[in-house]
Amino acid sequence: QVQFVESGGGSVQAGGSLRLSCKVSGTIYTLGWYRQAPGNERELVATATLAARTNYADFVRGRFTVTRDDVKSIMYLQMDSLEVDDTAVYYCNQSPALPTWGQGTQVTVSA
């Protein structure tokens, strides 16, 4: 069973940056970063394939960058120009998602 372990979250002020990491226990062609804010549905933020193709949700395009190191089985999410609305628990998973999720990592952006 594939496992996902997210890390790197924290508290920053608006305009700041964070880099999230996702350790994956297996090889997955398309990985995705997701987020869930309180009271909201989980939403897809960005994806990256083994072929290094990336895609972003409109609300993060130009601010977030997703990369993969498939030798280390780690996916990263560089988040710049953070906004208060980026506050959420961030998760990684396959895209489309598998049923089992990791614990996520909390990102809190203050004004």
Side-chain angles (χ1 to χ4, degrees):
Q1 182 175 347
V2 178
Q3 293 184 320
F4 305 96
V5 180
E6 303 91 348
S7 62
S11 297
V12 296
Q13 289 191 318
S17 298
L18 283 172
R19 189 176 82 152
L20 307 183
S21 298
C22 167
K23 177 67 174 173
V24 186
S25 64
T27 300
I28 295 177
Y29 187 78
T30 303
L31 285 169
W33 280 103
Y34 301 76
R35 71 185 187 185
Q36 186 168 21
N40 289 0
E41 297 284 325
R42 190 172 289 162
E43 58 187 358
L44 182 63
V45 174
T47 60
T49 72
L50 273 173
R53 293 186 66 180
T54 58
N55 197 20
Y56 298 91
D58 287 343
F59 51 80
V60 302
R61 187 173 290 116
R63 300 189 296 121
F64 291 9
T65 304
V66 59
T67 56
R68 296 174 59 152
D69 182 338
D70 291 301
V71 173
K72 298 180 179 178
S73 297
I74 299 177
M75 178 175 63
Y76 301 98
L77 185 67
Q78 177 66 40
M79 305 187 296
D80 299 316
S81 301
L82 281 161
E83 302 171 353
V84 173
D85 286 348
D86 294 321
T87 295
V89 179
Y90 284 72
Y91 303 87
C92 60
N93 203 316
Q94 179 180 277
S95 178
L98 297 170
T100 302
W101 294 82
Q103 82 286 353
T105 187
Q106 175 71 48
V107 172
T108 303
V109 185
S110 58

